[in-house]
Amino acid sequence: MNVIFLTVSRVYHIEARGIYTDLLRKFRDEGHNVYVVYPRERRFQLPTTLEEQDGIHLLGVRTLNIQKTNVIEKGIGTILIEKQFEKAIKRHLAGVNFELILYSTPPITFTNVVKYLKGRNPEAVSYLLLKDIFPQNAVDLGMFSEKSLFYKYFRRKEIGLYKLSDYIGCMSPANVDFVLRHNSFVSPQKVEIAPNSITLTEEPAVDRIAIRQEYGLPLDKPVFIYGGNLGRPQGVDFLLECLEATKNRSNCHFLIVGKGTEFGKLQRWFSDTKPLNASLLAGLPKEKYDLLVRSCDVGLIFLDYRFTIPNYPSRLLSYLQYGMPIIAATDEHTDVGSMAESNGYGLWCRSNDVAGFGRCVDKLATNPALVKEMGQKGYSFLLDNYLTDHTYATIVSHFL
């Protein structure tokens, strides 16, 4: 069948590893014709272009900058993107009939594009991969209030997208519960779990000693790594409180790798404090980052304690893939920590409880046998739940 995928992710190299590219390759490998529509932000000075790459059609649409830019341009760009996508689809994909319309959040503003595609392909199945619950997440972080015009505009968009979607694939049980509890118009029959997932490939053995030496990491103690975005959703202030409270520990090392709006705050703390048991690295290419993760022992997840929506960070997959237990410091609504504890591959604490984080570190810093046992359970859980085969099977089941 013909599949179209709408995304704001930068799908430049279809063979690159990632939750979306892995899934799209799975559709391709199963014999489907895949078309991807993605933004080419103006900073790259590239025109709207349709190309084929490794058997997948990529329609790059020139847009405003919607990532790593100021709030005003991001907001305007997010609003305009659906018109720009629709115009590009009409021009470049006019003769293609689609059986599956696949799209993800963010953004929530694909409503009119999906409506256009559904009108053109009335028998098509529309499937939302719900990765981000907006605008409530912005309200949780105090970016605007539920009484604001911003909230009312984006909430209408959100409701419209949910109504247009034949199915909504959520990342976890807590996500399913949240959608149904806060959107009474959504039928339970259309909401299901379609989690973040990856395709496993054979990888050569990694020289942990060489990698650790390359980045100046200790060889004689466990390394706890946080990798990913460093922005407001991650509760960087709490992360800094944890680093401050544990700066005199000598039985483990903390490694923070990433980039984002709060990176400068971390940089200043490292410069002022000069901790002996912690390191900070700017974001790395995925290949180098994966090697670095494989050289560490415990994965860290941080989410702001104010969230009332159940986030489920995709960085969990790297930790599980490489047999690492996790410590999840999150709000009480997210189930990433409770699922880790109930399935034996991690520990959880509230992300406003510094002492609780310290207790989690205590359990793993001096118990390599427990680290190994939890890591094995995490890898097994990944094999049973978070492979691309699982997400693909869930989606195509609606065509059987």
Side-chain angles (χ1 to χ4, degrees):
M1 64 181 172
N2 291 330
V3 179
I4 187 168
F5 177 55
L6 312 174
T7 181
V8 292
S9 297
R10 297 170 184 162
V11 188
Y12 299 138
H13 305 292
I14 202 64
E15 294 299 329
R17 294 168 58 187
I19 59 172
Y20 296 132
T21 48
D22 284 8
L23 181 60
L24 294 172
R25 291 197 306 273
K26 175 66 177 177
F27 272 95
R28 177 200 64 190
D29 295 344
E30 292 294 332
H32 304 291
N33 300 312
V34 180
Y35 296 79
V36 183
V37 187
Y38 72 97
R40 279 183 160 180
E41 294 168 281
R42 69 180 181 88
R43 69 166 60 92
F44 301 112
Q45 299 181 336
L46 295 171
T48 297
T49 306
L50 176 65
E51 61 178 341
E52 183 175 337
Q53 189 182 114
D54 297 310
I56 291 180
H57 306 276
L58 300 178
L59 177 54
V61 182
R62 185 176 174 88
T63 67
L64 293 179
N65 295 322
I66 53 178
Q67 298 181 43
K68 298 177 185 176
T69 186
N70 62 75
V71 175
I72 295 175
E73 183 174 13
K74 181 174 183 177
I76 295 173
T78 301
I79 292 171
L80 292 178
I81 195 170
E82 60 180 348
K83 284 290 185 185
Q84 294 165 330
F85 271 32
E86 182 179 336
K87 181 180 178 181
I89 291 169
K90 287 178 177 177
R91 179 180 177 185
H92 294 276
L93 302 177
V96 185
N97 295 316
F98 297 103
E99 286 78 35
L100 174 61
I101 306 165
L102 197 61
Y103 42 98
S104 63
T105 59
I108 206 69
T109 53
F110 280 153
T111 313
N112 289 337
V113 191
V114 176
K115 186 181 296 184
Y116 162 70
L117 287 168
K118 287 281 283 185
R120 206 175 89 178
N121 308 271
E123 301 302 317
V125 170
S126 54
Y127 198 106
L128 169 61
L129 294 168
L130 190 65
K131 308 298 185 185
D132 180 71
I133 299 177
F134 183 85
Q136 185 58 48
N137 58 359
V139 172
D140 290 345
L141 296 180
M143 296 174 68
F144 48 75
S145 76
E146 290 185 350
K147 296 180 180 179
S148 68
L149 292 176
F150 288 107
Y151 176 83
K152 292 175 181 177
Y153 171 80
F154 286 115
R155 176 60 175 154
R156 283 197 301 271
K157 284 289 187 182
E158 180 188 24
I159 291 171
L161 195 62
Y162 291 172
K163 287 182 175 180
L164 273 173
S165 301
D166 295 316
Y167 299 98
I168 301 175
C170 297
M171 297 182 289
S172 72
N175 278 255
V176 172
D177 292 342
F178 185 93
V179 170
L180 294 177
R181 190 168 64 252
H182 293 274
N183 302 277
S184 59
F185 58 88
V186 173
S187 167
Q189 282 67 48
K190 67 188 284 183
V191 186
E192 61 191 9
I193 296 175
N196 294 330
S197 56
I198 55 174
T199 300
L200 296 181
T201 57
E202 285 192 26
E203 299 183 54
V206 62
D207 188 339
R208 286 168 58 95
I209 293 177
I211 296 296
R212 289 199 181 195
Q213 288 176 333
E214 179 182 352
Y215 293 101
L217 302 174
L219 305 178
D220 58 345
K221 60 189 68 174
V223 176
F224 292 64
I225 182 172
Y226 171 86
N229 190 43
L230 293 166
R232 293 176 67 181
Q234 286 68 46
V236 169
D237 287 339
F238 177 73
L239 168 56
L240 284 171
E241 289 179 35
C242 292
L243 291 174
E244 179 68 31
T246 57
K247 66 182 180 182
N248 294 321
R249 279 182 177 269
S250 59
N251 62 352
C252 64
H253 193 88
F254 299 96
L255 172 61
I256 313 300
V257 187
K259 54 188 175 181
T261 58
E262 304 293 287
F263 183 81
K265 187 178 292 186
L266 280 158
Q267 217 169 18
R268 288 189 294 273
W269 183 86
F270 272 86
S271 177
D272 294 341
T273 307
K274 297 179 174 57
L276 297 177
N277 70 341
S279 305
L280 176 66
L281 296 174
L284 297 171
K286 182 164 177 55
E287 295 77 15
K288 286 193 171 184
Y289 171 73
D290 286 345
L291 288 174
L292 185 55
V293 172
R294 293 174 67 189
S295 303
C296 297
D297 301 282
V298 178
L300 301 176
I301 290 174
F302 288 93
L303 289 171
D304 194 289
Y305 75 95
R306 294 171 292 176
F307 276 125
T308 63
I309 62 164
N311 293 291
Y312 210 85
S314 61
R315 69 183 58 86
L316 168 70
L317 299 178
S318 294
Y319 300 153
L320 299 185
Q321 178 182 1
Y322 299 127
M324 300 167 63
I326 70 163
I327 295 176
T330 75
D331 57 90
E332 295 182 344
H333 302 276
T334 300
D335 55 352
V336 63
S338 59
M339 288 183 66
E341 289 197 324
S342 62
N343 290 283
Y345 60 81
L347 304 172
W348 174 77
C349 68
R350 293 176 178 83
S351 52
N352 58 356
D353 182 4
V354 175
F357 178 79
R359 289 191 292 272
C360 290
V361 173
D362 285 337
K363 289 181 181 180
L364 298 177
T366 58
N367 196 336
L370 180 60
V371 169
K372 183 177 181 180
E373 177 188 342
M374 283 186 160
Q376 290 172 340
K377 288 182 177 179
Y379 183 72
S380 295
F381 192 82
L382 175 82
L383 295 181
D384 292 338
N385 298 276
Y386 294 152
L387 297 185
T388 307
D389 291 354
H390 302 130
T391 305
Y392 171 80
T394 297
I395 296 171
V396 300
S397 68
H398 301 297
F399 293 88
L400 302 178

